[in-house]
Amino acid sequence: MARVDELSVGQMKMAKVGDRRVLVACTASGISAIDNACPHQGYGLVTGALDADLVTCQWHNWKFRVSDGRCVVGEEDVESHAVSIRDNEVWVTVTEPTVAEKRERLWPSLQKAIANDYRGQIARDAARLLDTGVSADELISAGVAWRIAHNEWGMGHEMANAADCLVLSDSYEGLDKTIPVAQALAGLAEQTRDRPRNEAPPADGSIDFHQAVESEDALGAVAAVRSLVQAGDRDQLRTLFVESVGRHHLSYGHGAIYVQKSFELLDRTGWAHADELLSELASTIVYMTREDTLPYMAKAIRSIREVDLGALANAPVFADRADAAERFSQVLLDASEAPIAEAVDAAVTELGVEGLLDAVVLAVSKRLLRYDTSCESDPEGTFGWLDISHGMTYARAARWAWRANPGVDAARLVLFTVFLAFDTGRLERRVGVSESVAAKAGSDLVSAILAGDEAAAVGAALDLTVDEARDALGQVALSDAAGSFIVAAHLVKGTVAAWEEAATIGSNLPLAAVARLAAAPRAERFVARSAAEAIAFIKTGQPPQR
């Protein structure tokens, strides 16, 4: 260890304490010791500069107080250690914190990192917490609870992305779970940064939830939900939310998707954070667009109103429905109007409600496989990949809702997915149908996607088992292959929905469709498209074409 007479003010030395490298610094206030490894990326602080009490890491300019390890420029603190002087020698005592002490320090650090959108610190703190035995479920659940109430108009894709990243985390072991966990937490951070926390109203059991939603009373809807949460009435909460999203085609299907993901997250991680999550879900539903009230849906809505939803809800269950689902998927692809009456007839006679969803998934998968990707490079285009992929994730959410609370509202929701499967073909009806991508066998799925080889990606997805394809698509979705959060979230969401639907319908076609989406050219940021829409609107005063 260093001798006191060998240190002068402004001087630093590196010493080893056991296997630990520490920096010993002499300042006007005395001698201090901190870890030599910068907590950012591990570079040695002793090679940096000491100015009064601050040491600067020369690699990225992070600055730390040597007296206590506090980071004053950068993201996270460095460990400090006790120093004593014995017979003119500097002694440093390194005390390894217990697991409980590590967690006590790391949880607030992670919360700060998410609040500030410090992605490196999010990843490092998540890895450190995982290393102490904290589970991916605990980390993602906590992140959602901390940040979900910071959205301006209720929750968004960051919640659904977090829920699906948790599903994908099951394919990872040990510290590798940091990959899906960091993606989940980074999405929450990016979407809520610098937004104040929404203050929830007190619980009020006298308020009718559905009436509050229909009158767009967000505070009332939240108060009603909080009352049910406090009462612990999980079944009633699930019923209320399924009923609510079954009464309207909410924001292109996002309402049903967010309900599914919220309850799946709670059922998996526990209901400790149900108040925060379901309060924001209630606000979200209130603020969403009721697309069933818009002119483009008028004809389909008239058809849905003529349906005996009770009869649809009581349609038989057909175990052998694959051929019928294939036939009706083609009806959806060829239709010039939303085939609502035909869908109900098929459900009652040969498909059942879930078989109808099978057909929706197959139809949307085929549209994804034949989508003309040149549309992605048209800055004036108003249609893209995500307009089609929502047909699959919406169908998956409707299937969850039907299984959770079968009845007329869930049956109506299924008919909304039939409409959306039809509506995903609006570009085809304007410009014509393109050829589907021809599958090319013999390729590695991840390599094919990263190489942009659509045919090889489709072929590989068709050749793999359902779980193998899920794992490969999940690896790509979590790999930063998408340049924007919104597209990354949809790749994650599409992967999970395609995996679940492929397992349900017994076909890898949904996985092949998402593989093609992942491999193909796609718009990422939508800035140029927004600018083109703005220019057209300012010039003409007309809305963009659907």
Side-chain angles (χ1 to χ4, degrees):
M1 189 54 63
R3 293 177 60 82
V4 174
D5 55 16
E6 294 175 346
L7 290 170
S8 57
V9 172
Q11 189 177 7
M12 300 183 293
K13 287 184 177 291
M14 194 274 287
K16 287 192 69 175
V17 180
D19 293 330
R20 194 78 159 259
R21 287 179 169 82
V22 298
L23 178 152
V24 179
C26 182
T27 70
S29 301
I31 298 174
S32 304
I34 59 175
D35 272 354
N36 185 51
C38 177
H40 180 208
Q41 291 184 335
Y43 293 110
L45 292 176
V46 74
T47 61
L50 180 64
D51 182 9
D53 192 39
L54 291 182
V55 61
T56 298
C57 180
Q58 66 177 353
W59 287 91
H60 300 101
N61 208 40
W62 284 26
K63 300 180 187 299
F64 306 89
R65 288 202 309 245
V66 293
S67 56
D68 59 8
R70 180 63 55 87
C71 181
V72 298
V73 174
E75 296 173 5
E76 63 217 83
D77 300 340
V78 67
E79 288 277 4
S80 64
H81 306 290
V83 173
S84 60
I85 308 299
R86 306 176 196 169
D87 298 327
N88 201 41
E89 289 185 329
V90 178
W91 286 78
V92 177
T93 301
V94 173
T95 303
E96 187 66 27
T98 65
V99 167
E101 289 169 338
K102 288 180 181 178
R103 292 177 181 175
E104 185 179 2
R105 183 185 75 250
L106 287 167
W107 279 117
S109 179
L110 178 61
Q111 186 171 8
K112 173 190 170 185
I114 298 172
N116 291 316
D117 194 14
Y118 291 163
R119 297 180 190 181
Q121 186 180 356
I122 288 171
R124 290 186 296 273
D125 283 344
R128 290 164 181 152
L129 282 163
L130 286 167
D131 199 40
T132 69
V134 174
S135 70
D137 292 52
E138 292 174 287
L139 285 164
I140 290 178
S141 178
V144 170
W146 289 334
R147 299 307 300 174
I148 199 67
H150 290 262
N151 284 281
E152 188 172 9
W153 304 110
M155 67 178 55
H157 289 95
E158 71 289 328
M159 187 284 302
N161 178 68
D164 284 335
C165 283
L166 187 53
V167 172
L168 294 179
S169 75
D170 293 336
S171 300
Y172 292 78
E173 298 292 336
L175 286 182
D176 287 344
K177 286 184 182 288
T178 304
I179 297 169
V181 168
Q183 289 285 8
L185 300 180
L188 288 159
E190 181 177 342
Q191 298 301 297
T192 63
R193 181 179 178 180
D194 295 332
R195 293 193 185 278
R197 184 177 180 86
N198 303 324
E199 294 300 324
D204 189 340
S206 69
I207 297 176
D208 182 274
F209 174 73
H210 291 311
Q211 186 176 12
V213 169
E214 294 303 320
S215 61
E216 297 191 18
D217 176 10
L219 293 178
V222 171
V225 164
R226 296 193 74 196
S227 176
L228 290 171
V229 171
Q230 290 180 11
D233 200 339
R234 300 180 184 183
D235 290 339
Q236 180 63 14
L237 282 162
R238 190 177 280 103
T239 296
L240 278 179
F241 278 106
V242 169
E243 289 174 348
S244 183
V245 297
R247 295 181 182 189
H248 293 286
H249 178 37
L250 290 171
S251 294
Y252 212 68
H254 285 95
I257 294 166
Y258 293 168
V259 167
Q260 174 202 4
K261 297 305 176 184
S262 295
F263 280 91
E264 285 183 340
L265 187 63
L266 291 173
D267 288 341
R268 171 164 174 161
T269 64
W271 280 62
H273 301 307
D275 190 28
E276 298 92 337
L277 184 56
L278 297 183
S279 292
E280 288 306 304
L281 180 61
S283 292
T284 304
I285 290 174
V286 167
Y287 291 126
M288 280 182 162
T289 301
R290 278 77 165 156
E291 301 214 9
D292 51 293
T293 67
L294 300 179
Y296 83 93
M297 279 195 73
K299 191 169 184 177
I301 292 302
R302 286 196 296 270
S303 296
I304 291 173
R305 286 174 180 159
E306 293 173 359
V307 171
D308 182 345
L309 291 171
L312 175 60
N314 287 297
V317 175
F318 296 90
D320 186 12
R321 63 195 191 216
D323 291 343
E326 176 64 32
R327 287 194 299 274
F328 194 73
S329 74
Q330 199 59 45
V331 171
L332 285 166
L333 291 171
D334 295 339
S336 56
E337 300 288 349
I340 301 300
E342 296 91 330
V344 174
D345 182 64
V348 171
T349 60
E350 59 181 355
L351 281 173
V353 172
E354 291 219 31
L356 195 54
L357 290 167
D358 296 351
V360 167
V361 170
L362 288 170
V364 172
S365 298
K366 292 172 184 178
R367 285 210 203 279
L368 286 167
L369 288 167
R370 71 190 197 187
Y371 171 57
D372 182 356
T373 59
S374 66
C375 298
E376 294 292 302
S377 59
D378 179 6
E380 297 184 3
T382 58
F383 188 91
W385 275 116
L386 306 187
D387 292 285
I388 309 177
S389 69
H390 268 287
M392 187 186 302
T393 50
Y394 195 18
R396 186 64 201 172
R399 197 186 298 275
W400 174 88
W402 173 255
R403 291 175 177 179
N405 193 61
V408 296
D409 290 303
R412 188 186 299 107
L413 181 61
V414 171
L415 293 181
F416 288 152
T417 74
V418 170
F419 168 79
L420 189 60
F422 160 78
D423 192 56
T424 60
R426 63 186 185 272
L427 180 68
E428 293 181 348
R429 291 188 285 276
R430 286 202 299 266
V431 303
V433 177
S434 300
E435 291 291 326
S436 295
V437 172
K440 183 172 65 178
S443 296
D444 173 74
L445 180 53
V446 173
S447 299
I449 292 173
L450 296 179
D453 190 335
E454 300 171 46
V458 170
L462 292 173
D463 288 342
L464 295 172
T465 68
V466 169
D467 286 351
E468 288 171 342
R470 183 259 334 254
D471 291 348
L473 287 171
Q475 181 181 338
V476 171
L478 297 171
S479 69
D480 295 334
S484 66
F485 168 73
I486 191 67
V487 174
H490 279 81
L491 287 177
V492 168
K493 183 169 63 173
T495 294
V496 173
W499 166 58
E500 293 172 339
E501 284 300 310
T504 299
I505 69 177
S507 168
N508 274 30
L509 204 63
L511 291 159
V514 173
R516 196 231 166 173
L517 185 159
R522 57 183 181 264
E524 289 274 336
R525 298 183 63 218
F526 311 113
V527 177
R529 184 170 295 177
S530 296
E533 287 184 5
I535 291 167
F537 177 66
I538 298 303
K539 284 183 175 179
T540 68
Q542 299 297 313
Q545 183 183 23
R546 284 195 79 255

